[in-house]
Amino acid sequence: VHVLGCCLRPWQSFQTGMPWGEGFRFTKWYISVITASASLHVTAQTCRVRVTCSEVLSFPRVRRFLRHTTFVAVYLETYGCQMNVNDTEIAWAILQKNGYARTKELDEADVILLVTCSVREKAEQAIWNRLRHLKSLKARRQQDRVPLRIGILGCMAERLKEEILHREKLVDIVAGPDAYRDLPRLLAVSESGQQAANVLLSLDETYADILPVQTSAGGTTAFVSIMRGCDNMCSYCIVPFTRGRERSRPIASILQEVRMLSDQGVKEVTLLGQNVNSFRDMSEVQFQSAAAPVLSRGFSTVYKAKPGGLRFAHLLDQVSRIDPEMRIRFTSPHPKDFPDEVLQLIQERHNICKQLHLPAQSGSTRVLEAMRRGYTREAYLELIHHVRESIPGVRLSSDFIAGFCGETEEDHQQTLSLLREVRYNVGFLFAYSMRQKTRAYHRLQDDVPADIKKRRLEELITVFREEAARANEAMVGQSQLVLVEGPSKRSASELCGRNDGNIKVIFPDAEIEDAAGCKALVRAQPGDYVLVKVTSASSQTLKGVPLCRTSLSRSAACH
């Protein structure tokens, strides 16, 4: 086949049979091909086919056909937090707009991009191990194919640019979290065999004009970034140094993205930010005269109060009005930024989940002071009580660090007692990992031995699981509204979803009634809301029997 031109662009979905004998149902792309081959019954015409990159490459004849084109396949791999998942979607949206195609098969890739995390040493070590594997893949690359290019994106790129570029000369592209717009240029530079890097941090980059290409399976849930960076400067945290200062997206662009997701049938949106409830939109002149909000009682910051801007309560109000059948969550907040208007809004709106993430990090006031968290144990517990009074039935999650600098056995016991007193439903617990550039690195000693950190972490996990199991067991016998995500990983005969408190719920994939009044029995599908009666509970999972398919609004009206 002599190809005169080939490119990939969005197109509407339809079925077609190709002239060379393959039949397809295409879902995401079309290949526009101009060819002079009479044998394909196409002469100086355009053949339009909607297809994903992986689907194209899975057909041998199509692979042979595309081998003669300038088509470049990108393989993206994500590590770390949900912000990195969102960064992957942003990077892909930029590359897609510039004519790149995506593949899910590593061996088919011309470019491999790893979106990385730097929060802990273990996360970075996983990337170095992955690069060693990719080095052998690069060495095995067939000579008749274009050289394989490898890129490091995100926080690790920002923190370790020089080491990444010079260590074994393996990486071709390095791009920090604020440099994704520059990816097409960096990739073009790397085509000549040069290494290319951009790790400049920005004071205003939010990617507000870029609608991320959602990559979550099934399209039931999605993440929407509302702000980037962090100003809190907690002594243990690398985020301000890898993602820069706080800056918020304009509310208008956030609402546009949420409306688009609603139109696509997404049933749950999580608003994302390193310090999500510190949101402050200063994009319009009229927003700049507002007073600074009051911090949670007993909380302080290392920076001066910031007057002006539309705040998180306003954004949450507007987002929750878009679609009454769409659940709204947000993460990760800081406990200092929970004014009463936010708590009242969560309590009033049926589609804002009654679940809050309140990162404590430690139960010791002395350690909290060393961490520069801006609150005492007592202030944190007062906030917990206020939250539970304001939002009856709220489910809580938290973060904890074991073995921070100077932590004594007494400090550790205070953290264990906080876990018992609050009884969280979900927890994220880690041993402390010293990070360069942080205040702790320059001012404190990482003086808790590794074996003691390990033992303390195990004790934290044990106590957390005991208390989470008790908290979850309180739901046995109750009915929980579950958003179905898909089949259970352990059994094809069961479905999996999450309740309002973000706890995983497993139940049989059986025929159930539809609460809308339809007499016919139905089977729940991803994106459906199902009322499930809980029959058993563990520290991480609820199990139950499905009662009926319903809606978010109908379920709220019944309670």
Side-chain angles (χ1 to χ4, degrees), residues 121 401-407 409 412 429-435 445-461:
E121 184 178 354
I401 296 172
F404 183 67
C405 305
E407 183 188 71
E409 196 61 33
H412 172 60
L429 302 93
F430 302 96
Y432 175 62
S433 176
M434 178 74 85
R435 304 280 78 194
Q445 291 291 321
D446 187 9
D447 53 2
V448 180
D451 60 331
I452 294 180
K453 285 182 184 178
K454 183 174 183 291
R455 189 258 301 168
R456 289 178 182 173
L457 176 61
E458 290 171 350
E459 291 178 0
L460 290 180
I461 291 172

Side-chain angles (χ1 to χ4, degrees), residues 137-165:
L137 183 68
K138 197 171 186 178
R140 296 196 310 267
R141 185 77 164 191
Q142 296 176 359
Q143 292 186 353
D144 62 342
R145 296 180 65 183
V146 295
L148 178 63
R149 287 170 286 162
I150 297 172
I152 296 293
L153 277 54
C155 294
M156 189 171 166
E158 188 68 43
R159 196 179 89 81
L160 297 172
K161 170 194 167 185
E162 297 299 329
E163 184 176 354
I164 290 169
L165 288 175

Side-chain angles (χ1 to χ4, degrees), residues 158 177-179 199-207 228-229 242-247:
E158 188 68 43
D178 293 345
V199 293
L200 294 176
L201 287 174
S202 169
L203 291 174
D204 53 17
E205 178 62 270
T206 63
Y207 301 106
R228 300 177 74 84
T242 58
R243 287 188 171 269
R245 304 297 297 271
E246 283 179 13
R247 62 271 189 203

Side-chain angles (χ1 to χ4, degrees), residues 224 226 249-260 262 269 271 279 281 287 310-324 326-328 341-342 345-346 348-349 351-352:
V224 174
I226 68 168
R249 279 177 68 181
I251 282 183
S253 75
I254 297 169
L255 299 180
Q256 177 190 3
E257 184 174 345
V258 175
R259 289 190 191 99
M260 179 192 74
S262 174
V269 160
L271 305 178
F279 177 86
D281 177 11
F287 300 166
L310 292 181
R311 299 291 176 155
F312 185 65
H314 182 88
L315 172 66
L316 195 59
D317 171 52
Q318 294 298 307
V319 169
S320 66
R321 293 176 184 273
I322 289 174
D323 184 348
M326 176 188 279
R327 274 180 173 170
I328 307 299
E341 55 262 40
V342 170
L345 191 62
I346 295 170
E348 290 176 353
R349 296 287 164 83
N351 62 336
I352 303 179

Side-chain angles (χ1 to χ4, degrees), residues 374-427:
Y375 53 86
T376 62
R377 174 193 175 97
E378 291 72 26
Y380 180 85
L381 283 171
E382 184 179 348
L383 175 63
I384 293 289
H385 297 320
H386 182 53
V387 165
R388 283 180 163 155
E389 287 176 357
S390 303
I391 312 171
V394 67
R395 312 295 177 188
L396 299 178
S397 60
S398 192
D399 300 335
F400 286 92
I401 296 172
F404 183 67
C405 305
E407 183 188 71
T408 65
E409 196 61 33
E410 182 182 352
D411 296 325
H412 172 60
Q413 291 300 321
Q414 288 182 33
T415 301
L416 291 174
S417 73
L418 185 71
L419 281 167
R420 293 189 180 100
E421 184 169 352
V422 177
R423 189 170 287 178
Y424 301 95
N425 296 90
V426 178

Side-chain angles (χ1 to χ4, degrees), residues 40-173:
L40 292 184
H41 310 293
V42 181
T43 304
Q45 296 182 36
T46 298
C47 173
R48 290 177 175 175
V49 182
R50 192 173 180 214
V51 61
T52 64
C53 173
S54 294
E55 287 169 330
V56 169
L57 296 175
S58 66
F59 293 94
R61 296 184 186 182
V62 178
R63 292 178 68 176
R64 290 195 297 271
F65 180 70
L66 291 176
R67 193 173 295 148
H68 301 281
T69 74
T70 57
F71 155 78
V72 178
V74 177
Y75 178 89
L76 286 149
E77 201 166 271
T78 309
Y79 295 80
C81 67
Q82 292 300 339
M83 283 296 294
N84 282 1
V85 175
N86 186 257
D87 276 10
T88 301
E89 294 171 347
I90 290 171
W92 171 229
I94 292 167
L95 292 173
Q96 184 187 91
K97 188 176 180 180
N98 282 269
Y100 289 85
R102 188 168 183 178
T103 178
K104 295 180 181 179
E105 302 299 327
L106 194 63
D107 290 340
E108 295 168 351
D110 301 306
V111 176
I112 297 172
L113 300 177
L114 308 183
V115 184
T116 62
C117 174
S118 257
V119 171
R120 283 171 290 279
E121 184 178 354
K122 185 177 179 181
E124 290 185 353
Q125 191 56 50
I127 300 300
W128 290 120
N129 293 340
R130 184 59 165 157
L131 286 174
R132 279 192 284 272
H133 170 75
L134 295 178
K135 181 179 181 181
S136 62
L137 183 68
K138 197 171 186 178
R140 296 196 310 267
R141 185 77 164 191
Q142 296 176 359
Q143 292 186 353
D144 62 342
R145 296 180 65 183
V146 295
L148 178 63
R149 287 170 286 162
I150 297 172
I152 296 293
L153 277 54
C155 294
M156 189 171 166
E158 188 68 43
R159 196 179 89 81
L160 297 172
K161 170 194 167 185
E162 297 299 329
E163 184 176 354
I164 290 169
L165 288 175
H166 298 128
R167 191 162 160 175
E168 302 181 44
K169 301 290 184 180
L170 176 63
V171 174
D172 305 284
I173 305 136

